[in-house]
Amino acid sequence: MLHRFFGSGGGVSVPPTYRSVASATVAYPDTSITVNVPAGVLNNDVLIAFIYGNDNAQIPVITAPAGWALIRSDTINNTRQSSYSHVASSEPANYAWTFDVGSALCGAILAFSGVNTTTPVDAHDGATAGPATANAQAPSITTTVTNTMLVGGFAINEQPTTWTPDAGMTERSDVSVVRA
């Protein structure tokens, strides 16, 4: 299981606002996943993507589309979850991430307005743990600027296949991979 939390968009006069999310899943084995741009995205919104890949034999390597900055990448067993940020500017309909090996794939892109577009991610942390649980706990994080929103992405590499947020958290997307 992989966890990550990071501050997004601090240092602005008002806290960032969640706009929308889009997600996708691709059955095993595939080497790319395409995720639509979330509805209502405007120029200068900040997009945060969580991309997950699992292969039975090796840890997949993920290649992001042009213009996306890697926030962090965590691995456990034959699983990788990476997170990316991107400042919207005349967005296409979707974005595709590629993998070096056929994998079970899923991903989500979350859109936020009111984020500092120069430094959209203030701080980040991550952890890997096992066995799988439907209630993951993110590591502690200390932000360094005011008006910061915490955003988390969690991946479960085995049953259960859905996740329940802890008190005080709001779940925006829940996607599962498909194995043939």
Side-chain angles (χ1 to χ4, degrees):
M1 180 167 30
L2 309 169
H3 317 252
R4 70 186 84 316
F5 252 68
F6 45 87
S8 178
V12 292
S13 60
V14 295
T17 302
Y18 166 77
R19 186 177 299 283
S20 59
V21 65
S23 61
T25 187
V26 178
Y28 178 88
D30 209 321
T31 57
S32 70
I33 185 169
T34 299
V35 184
N36 289 337
V37 171
V41 167
L42 301 174
N43 286 345
N44 293 318
D45 281 356
V46 169
L47 307 179
I48 302 291
F50 294 98
I51 305 297
Y52 166 93
N54 172 265
D55 176 67
N56 288 329
Q58 67 188 56
I59 296 171
V61 174
I62 303 172
T63 302
W68 287 82
L70 178 66
I71 297 168
R72 70 177 298 112
S73 187
D74 295 300
T75 62
I76 187 170
N77 300 326
N78 295 321
T79 302
R80 178 180 305 275
Q81 180 175 336
S82 297
S83 54
Y84 302 87
S85 67
H86 172 74
V87 178
S89 176
S90 301
E91 293 306 288
N94 54 56
Y95 282 100
W97 280 259
T98 59
F99 292 70
D100 66 330
V101 294
S103 301
L105 312 172
C106 67
I109 300 175
L110 293 92
F112 299 90
S113 63
V115 176
N116 178 334
T117 57
T118 304
T119 312
V121 178
D122 173 50
H124 61 84
D125 199 357
T128 59
T133 176
N135 292 91
Q137 290 195 345
S140 297
I141 191 165
T142 302
T143 60
T144 63
V145 293
T146 59
N147 293 319
T148 299
M149 176 181 287
L150 296 179
V151 179
F154 301 84
I156 302 171
N157 192 24
E158 29 184 289
Q159 299 297 326
T161 58
T162 61
W163 181 78
T164 303
D166 287 333
M169 299 178 78
T170 301
E171 184 176 25
R172 301 294 187 186
S173 181
D174 198 332
V175 226
S176 297
V177 297
V178 179
R179 288 213 170 256

